[in-house]
Amino acid sequence: MNRRNFLKLIAGFLPAVALVRGQNAGESHKSYVMVVDVNKCIGCGKCVVACKVENDVPMDFKLSRTWIEGYAVKEKIPIEESDVKKEVLSTSKNPFLDKSWIETTRGRKTFYVPKLCNHCANAPCVNVCPVYARFYTKDGVVLLDKETCIGCKYCIVACPYGATFTHPEQKVTDKCTFCYHRIKRGLKPACVLACPTGARVFGDVNDENSEVSRLVKENRVAVLKPEWGTFPRVLYIGLDSYVVE
Amino acid sequence: MILGLGFAVLVYLILFFYVFGLSPMVTGSSQAKWVEMELSLEPKFSDTEICKECHYQLYIGMKNHSKVSCEACHGSGVEHTIKRTSDTIVKDRTRDFCLNCHLDVGGRDAVKTVNETHHPGIYCVVCHDPHK
């Protein structure tokens, strides 16, 4: 094959490649986002229990796909470590109902921050996975292929939010999937459904009429650890980012 | 020596093409398979719209808890929608169950709260109907 024929062959391929790429670009995909209103969260733990029931995570296991962090802050600029008291709810037992926590919150500004996998648009766990077990779906959800996962725990080290953990029975890593099997059936994720105050709202931001679009438009939203450049899909309203790690 | 070198190069090339071009992880076929597996999981929580079909009177009479999903208090309901027996759903009438949300803990501005001095030891449902 001389050079002329080779170039002709390449030129023949180019329109085909352009056609395929054009088809992909023309498809409009959903862009799922969760908006969490910190002012509305009361720390009841219904979301944690619902998530564990829906996704087969052991109830007594200290780690969870979603958990609630309670912060009790002295009403001044927190300088010392003792100014901020922190408690974590991750099982069916609620530590926020204990007498010790109630006494801690007296005279302090208290708020509860629900946390889960942030489904980052630039996810560190996807970047470090050596066997390509973590991947993005077309609608932006970060999923974990448990058959390919070898349990090396690189993702646990890489995740700045601590949202991934080793499942005690399956011995591979586990994380929130935004209840992918539910949202594709048109249902809400289990934690959103179980939230009694409507602190968690889930939906498609590409849809102009959805509630998340309205919330993002009307409120100032913040993300956790923006300095990591992960571009999370979990947005917080009323987040005290001075205190929350 | 040439045979050995050729064999080494062959092994290297096969490994190279498998790891970076042909393995199911790179081509994404294992990921597509996993998405299908994820979609085949059955939900355990249903929806208020489905509860409404049988319990319509309770649904329209609700005022204070009208924005709360049924399964927030009653637990996962898919089994109940199939068997339709009272033992497949959570019906907790105890005081502790109500106080899980309504106890006077700091930071609960979104709900009405009571503390332990409010008729201690008596079940809340004696006076307050949660479905009204």
Side-chain angles (χ1 to χ4, degrees), chain A residues 51-92:
Chain A
C51 176
K52 291 203 176 204
V53 169
E54 178 74 39
N55 296 303
D56 294 326
V57 182
M59 194 62 83
D60 298 327
F61 189 52
K62 277 277 178 191
L63 298 170
S64 176
R65 291 188 179 197
T66 182
W67 68 100
I68 303 174
E69 289 177 1
Y71 292 86
V73 191
K74 269 192 187 167
E75 291 191 8
K76 59 167 190 173
I77 295 174
I79 306 164
E80 297 158 22
E81 224 169 79
S82 63
D83 290 345
V84 180
K85 289 269 196 283
K86 187 181 159 189
E87 189 77 63
V88 178
L89 191 168
S90 61
T91 57
S92 59

Side-chain angles (χ1 to χ4, degrees), chain A residues 199-212:
Chain A
R200 293 171 184 242
V201 183
F202 181 82
D204 175 19
V205 273
N206 286 351
D207 180 7
E208 286 288 314
N209 302 319
S210 64
E211 203 188 342
V212 279

Side-chain angles (χ1 to χ4, degrees), chain B residues 2 11-12 20 22 27 38 54 57 67 72 85 90-92 101 105 107 126:
Chain B
I2 292 168
V11 167
Y12 177 79
F20 293 103
L22 298 172
T27 54
E38 198 81 50
C54 294
Q57 288 299 323
K67 286 184 181 172
T85 52
V90 177
K91 274 169 131 185
D92 200 337
C101 292
V105 183
V126 173

Side-chain angles (χ1 to χ4, degrees), chain A residues 118-135:
Chain A
N118 282 263
H119 294 272
C120 313
N122 178 23
C125 62
V126 177
N127 294 342
V128 301
C129 185
V131 292
Y132 300 90
R134 283 165 182 255
F135 57 98

Side-chain angles (χ1 to χ4, degrees), chain A residues 42 56 112 132 144 182, chain B residues 31 34 41 44-45 106 108:
Chain A
I42 56 170
D56 294 326
Y112 304 97
Y132 300 90
L144 156 67
R182 293 178 61 85
Chain B
Q31 297 173 352
W34 185 259
L41 293 173
K44 288 172 190 164
F45 281 79
R108 287 189 170 172

Side-chain angles (χ1 to χ4, degrees), chain A residues 42-44 46 50 53-54 56 94 96-97 105 110 112 131-132 135 144-146 181-182 184-185 193-194 196, chain B residues 25 30-31 34-35 38-39 41-47 68-69 71-72 97 100-101 105-108 110-111:
Chain A
I42 56 170
C44 64
K46 300 268 187 200
V53 169
E54 178 74 39
D56 294 326
N94 191 339
F96 302 136
L97 303 178
T105 61
T110 312
Y112 304 97
V131 292
Y132 300 90
F135 57 98
L144 156 67
D145 180 353
K146 283 190 187 174
H181 57 294
R182 293 178 61 85
K184 283 290 166 187
R185 285 178 168 87
L193 185 91
Chain B
M25 303 158 195
S30 68
Q31 297 173 352
W34 185 259
V35 169
E38 198 81 50
L39 291 175
L41 293 173
E42 286 296 320
K44 288 172 190 164
F45 281 79
S46 190
D47 199 23
V68 181
S69 161
E71 286 160 302
F97 188 76
N100 191 21
C101 292
V105 183
R108 287 189 170 172
V111 290

